Every structure is written in structure tokens, then in C-alpha cells.
Amino acid sequence: MDLESPEQQAVRAAARKFVANNIIPRADEFDKSGEFHEYLLEAAKASKIFTMAIPTEYSGLGYDARTQALVLEEWGYGCAGMGTTLAASILSMEAVLIAGNDEQKRRYFAPMLNTEIGAFGLTEPDAGSDVGAGTTTAAREGDGYRINGAKCWITNGGVASVYVIFALTDVLKGTKGLSAFIVERDRSGFIIGDKEHKLGLRSSNTVYFELKDVHVPVVNLLGHEGDGMKIAMKTLDTARPAIAALAVGLAQRCLDECVEHLHRRFPHKPFPGQTLQFKLADMQIQVDAARQFVRHTMALRDAGMPFARESAISKTLCTDMAMTVSTQAVRLMGSYGYTSELGKFMRDAKVMQIYEGTNQIQRLVISRAVLAPTPKAVPLSSAGAS
Ligand SMILES: Cc1cc2nc3c(=O)[nH]c(=O)nc-3n(C[C@H](O)[C@H](O)[C@H](O)COP(=O)(O)OP(=O)(O)OC[C@H]3O[C@@H](n4cnc5c(N)ncnc54)[C@H](O)[C@@H]3O)c2cc1C
């Protein structure tokens, strides 16, 4: 059964071509230099692909979640670092889609239509998994808010033009006092700090930044004061399956690289022993199963059904799978697999188990759903196939 519509097949084919021409040939170079892949934004301009999450009424491509997943998978196949740039920008847009009014959406999406990117600033030096430990504040002042604090590990943090930033409007209320704001990069007091030096995703821009008396007008508040935690959690629900799609692409690439290498290494004889072949089979089983679960999660979202539980499962399932498959790929390719070019997949896979909420935190979310009085599981077949 063909699960992709003709339109989706065309989108996948275009994304694959873009990745083959623009990402795969330069991924190793940017991984080695650790520089941000600025050139890619320019290359993406003609395809408008950076606007795929923006609804058509705001002049974006307006792809549904399943179609976005196809593109993300292809990006993950090419380079997870470059794919993360796109995914993190979409993450910030999702917050605006969830909580923004019409004017805010127009304003936030305008730079993206010009191939600029956004960032999502939740994590702080002392607040990662425990969002409630954040100390960034937004004090009401005159016609706006004065934001003070610091954010760290923010993807696109040094290269975005607009940000969604979370800050406490009421420090006494904990997470109930958290609010979300649109913050433009050129506001006075927005100070971009050091780049994080990472094991993987090296071409992705990840930075620390400070907000020192950054003034934003009231119209930059998303939703109402105190809505921040709800907005952050709903946004992350939409983003986790996107990371899962990147992970599927990365794992498929590992498998393809392995097969190619093994054909080269053992050209005139069958691969040595069944062990090797069975390992390849196991890798393909895991990749295919993970891909189907992402598709299922996206179908639930497109159908307007609850998908928070499936979002957490897809993130955990696919990123753990990518870690296993990429490690296996290094093993199967011997010393060739240990080159920085191919070892990159394993380095990149590792972070997927950490960002957008660690897989331990996802297991907390999933176990809560499992233990809830009314199970919310949706049968795999009931959300539509395409
Ligand atoms: C490359 C990269 C890009 C990132 N991009 C962004 C971004 O764009 N925006 C953003 O806001 N953040 C971003 N982050 C931050 C990321 O989301 C956090 O690092 C992540 O949520 C984990 O927080 P932490 O690093 O503070 O770990 P901690 O919260 O300190 O956790 C440390 C360990 O303890 C475990 N742990 C913590 N609490 C519990 C618990 N209650 N139960 C069980 N185990 C627990 C964790 O699973 C982990 O293994 C990024 C991180 C990286 C590495």
C-alpha cells in the first residue's frame, strides 16, 4: 500500500534532490569547521522550504504534519545539524501558531518568508528538564515588559532574527507565572554570548545569550500572562515527532552507508557470515518500524486528535533507535566507520536523546499516560494513512 499521496511523493523527491545537491556534499566540511551553514539559507530560498510550517493564509507552504515529516526525514538523512536548524525554527513558529493572534503571526512569519530563521528560548543554566527552576523575569513596565535573564543551549540562538522567549511575569507562582514573548533580535540589551562546543550537530548554531533590560511592547506577549508553561508544553508536543523524523532519516542514512561500504569491502563474495546480514536486517526493521510510528503520530495531529502521548513515544522510540543503528553502523564498517565523516552520525544521534526533553523525561510522560485511569491509546490504523 502506498502511504504517500502524489503531492507528498513530489515533496519528498524535491527535498531529496535539495539534500543531495546542497547538504550531503558539504555536511562533513561544516561538521569539521563547526561553522554555521549560512550558505544553506540562501540555497533554500528558491524552494521556500523554510516556510513549510507557515499556513498558506500567511503566505507559507502550509504543509500538514505528515508532509513536514517527509522533508525532515530527508534533512536528517543529509545532516542532522542542518536539519536541526530547520526544526528549531519551526519549533519557535509552532509556539506562535499555538498562542499568537493574527497580527503576531503575520509579524513573526514575515522574516521566515525571507529565509530568515527563528529560535525557541526555554532552557536556562539552572533550568533544563525542570522548567520551573527558571529565573528569567519579565516585569510589567509602562506599555510593555522589561526582560532580564539568560538562556543557554539555544539552537539558532546566534543567527535567528526572531525568538520566542519564556520568562516569569510572576515569580511567586512558579510555572503558573511563566509567560511567552516574541523578542526581536535587534532589541537593545539582547546580548549573544558564547557558542556551545558540541560533540555532534556541530554545524548547528547553539548559543548562550543574555537579556539585560530588554524592553518588549505588550503586543509581544503570546496569549496571556501565565500561559507560558502551557504554550511550551504544547509546542514541544508538536516538535518531538519532528525530531523523531530527523532521527529516522539519520538512521536510514547509516544503513545505506553500511550497505554501500559492505558491497565495496566484500565485492566478490557474500558478506562474511549471517551475523552481518542479520544485523542489517535488524537495522532495517528498526528504521521501518520507527518511520511508521512517526507517520502515525503525524496523522493523529493532522486529524486533530490528541497526540501528546504518541509525540513522547515517537521521540523516544526514534531517537533511541537512531543511537542503536548509528552505533551498529560504526561497528559494521570497522575502522572506516570510525572516521569522523561516518562517526558523525553516531555523534549527531546522541543529542537527539537529550534535546526537546530528554528521553528519561519522555518516559515520565509516557508512564503517566500508561498509569492514567482512562488509557488514551489510539489504534495505529484509526488516524488515516495519508
Ligand atoms: C544541541 C542542543 C540544542 C538545544 N536546543 C535548545 C533550544 O533550541 N531551546 C531550548 O530551550 N533548549 C535547547 N536545548 C536544551 C535541552 O532541551 C536541554 O538540554 C534538555 O532539556 C535537558 O536539560 P539539561 O541539559 O539541563 O539536563 P538536566 O535537566 O540537568 O538533566 C540531567 C540528567 O538528569 C535526568 N533527569 C532530570 N530530571 C529528571 C527527572 N525528573 N526524572 C528522571 N530523570 C531526570 C535527565 O534525563 C538527564 O539525563 C538544547 C540542547 C542541546 C544539547
Side-chain angles (χ1 to χ4, degrees), residues 84 88 91 119-130 152-156 198 200-201 204 206 351 354-361 364:
T84 294
L91 172 67
F120 179 86
L122 181 64
T123 303
E124 300 187 12
D126 293 318
S129 306
D130 182 9
C152 59
W153 290 102
I154 307 304
T155 303
N156 299 341
K198 309 188 295 293
L201 282 197
S204 162
T206 321
V351 75
I354 299 171
Y355 65 9
E356 308 245 342
T358 66
N359 285 4
Q360 289 75 35
I361 296 298
L364 274 183

Side-chain angles (χ1 to χ4, degrees), residues 18 41 50 56 61 67 82 108-109 116 125 281 316 358:
F18 180 85
L41 307 190
F50 276 43
T56 48
L61 289 173
T67 311
M82 299 191 192
Y108 198 85
F109 298 151
E116 293 174 36
T316 313
T358 66

Side-chain angles (χ1 to χ4, degrees), residues 279-292:
K279 292 267 185 272
L280 291 174
D282 284 340
M283 287 160 82
Q284 190 68 72
I285 290 166
Q286 291 177 66
V287 175
D288 283 355
R291 180 180 289 117
Q292 293 312 319

Side-chain angles (χ1 to χ4, degrees), residues 343-362:
K344 170 182 186 297
F345 301 119
M346 193 173 80
R347 287 185 282 115
D348 287 352
K350 188 65 216 167
V351 75
M352 294 173 162
Q353 297 176 303
I354 299 171
Y355 65 9
E356 308 245 342
T358 66
N359 285 4
Q360 289 75 35
I361 296 298
Q362 302 316 304

Side-chain angles (χ1 to χ4, degrees), residues 72-83:
L72 284 156
E73 188 184 327
E74 295 301 322
W75 282 66
Y77 189 94
C79 172
M82 299 191 192

